[in-house]
Amino acid sequence: MVENRCSVQREGVYRWFSGLNSAQRAEFLCGLLDLCVPIELRFLGSCLEDLARKDYHSLRDAEIKANNPADLSNLTNITDEVVRSKLLISLALLSSDNREAAGVLFRTLTHIDSIINNYGLQLNDGQTEEQFLLLFTMASNHPAFSFHQKQVLRQELTQIQEIMQVPCGEQQPVTGGCGGTGASGCQHINVGKENHIHLKKYTVFFAFKTV
């Protein structure tokens, strides 16, 4: 009886997770990792390393650019959807100890308030909203950034959520999706290639726009 109940609860979690958008998934997974003990983290690290190895060659060029401060310094106009897509890819492939590259990204991301005020960027547009939420969620949880930088980025994320009036943690999971076209029914950022992360029988993917 207990085993059956646990199985039902797991299936419920999988369904709930599949209804989250990309930013919510990233936030939730980072929270779970914080709850793990060191030996669990080492095991999960081995599993992730094996999954990541499958896409190593196809992402190698993008990974080199993502860790090159000179390349990142050209990605400053975050009002451009293509630039935001490149920034998302860079954050996904940024090495955990690359402080110099993280510093370049930090300087780019901390101008969001002036961009909103000076350019009138409409964050409530569906595609733009998804990109900014994911961008700042990933950055504020990324180990390459210092504690202070993460605090600043988290404040920026909170500001964006207040502008959108849809705090990331308060959106309720939905059954059958939220009107998007992704595998979970949610709207995903389109990246050309789909980088798949398999969670049990559900396929979660971040899609970034091809540039």
Side-chain angles (χ1 to χ4, degrees):
M1 178 66 70
V2 174
E3 183 177 351
N4 290 337
R5 185 164 62 248
C6 291
S7 176
V8 171
Q9 290 174 344
R10 283 198 300 270
E11 291 298 320
V13 171
Y14 299 153
R15 287 193 297 271
W16 171 79
F17 186 84
S18 70
L20 301 179
N21 62 36
S22 296
Q24 291 170 321
R25 290 173 179 176
E27 189 76 54
F28 178 69
L29 290 174
C30 288
L32 286 181
L33 292 176
D34 285 338
L35 297 176
C36 292
V37 299
I39 195 68
E40 292 170 339
L41 291 173
R42 293 298 296 270
F43 168 72
L44 293 173
S46 297
C47 294
L48 291 173
E49 183 180 4
D50 179 64
L51 289 172
R53 190 180 295 116
K54 299 174 183 178
D55 297 314
Y56 175 81
H57 294 292
S58 62
L59 295 174
R60 182 56 181 163
D61 290 342
E63 183 177 2
I64 292 174
K65 292 181 179 180
N67 287 277
N68 185 347
D71 286 328
L72 295 176
S73 63
N74 295 322
L75 304 178
T76 56
N77 182 17
I78 59 176
T79 61
D80 187 336
E81 181 182 346
V82 173
V83 171
R84 292 196 299 271
S85 295
K86 288 184 177 181
L87 288 171
L88 284 168
I89 295 173
S90 297
L91 280 170
L93 300 177
L94 179 65
S95 297
S96 61
D97 58 351
N98 196 335
R99 299 290 187 183
E100 184 180 0
V104 175
L105 291 171
F106 177 76
R107 288 190 292 274
T108 297
L109 294 175
T110 48
H111 295 305
I112 182 64
D113 52 347
S114 62
I115 289 174
I116 293 173
N117 295 330
N118 296 337
Y119 293 91
L121 190 63
Q122 297 298 314
L123 292 179
N124 286 321
D125 171 66
Q127 179 84 346
T128 304
E129 174 183 329
E130 286 281 333
Q131 284 186 320
F132 273 98
L133 284 175
L134 182 56
L135 191 61
F136 281 86
T137 298
M138 291 173 67
S140 62
N141 285 287
H142 202 292
F145 295 91
S146 68
F147 177 76
H148 170 70
Q149 289 173 332
K150 288 181 181 180
Q151 283 187 313
V152 174
L153 291 166
R154 178 60 60 171
Q155 291 172 355
E156 298 278 357
L157 175 60
T158 300
Q159 179 184 354
I160 292 171
Q161 291 171 341
E162 289 175 349
I163 292 173
M164 296 175 181
Q165 296 182 343
V166 185
C168 197
E170 293 185 7
Q171 183 171 337
Q172 296 298 317
V174 294
T175 302
C178 55
T181 58
S184 67
C186 289
Q187 182 178 8
H188 294 276
I189 302 166
N190 185 12
V191 187
K193 290 184 179 179
E194 295 172 354
N195 301 315
H196 295 277
I197 304 171
H198 296 283
L199 177 66
K200 294 290 185 179
K201 64 181 180 180
Y202 292 95
T203 300
V204 182
F205 64 90
F206 292 85
F208 300 94
K209 193 177 187 66
T210 301
V211 292

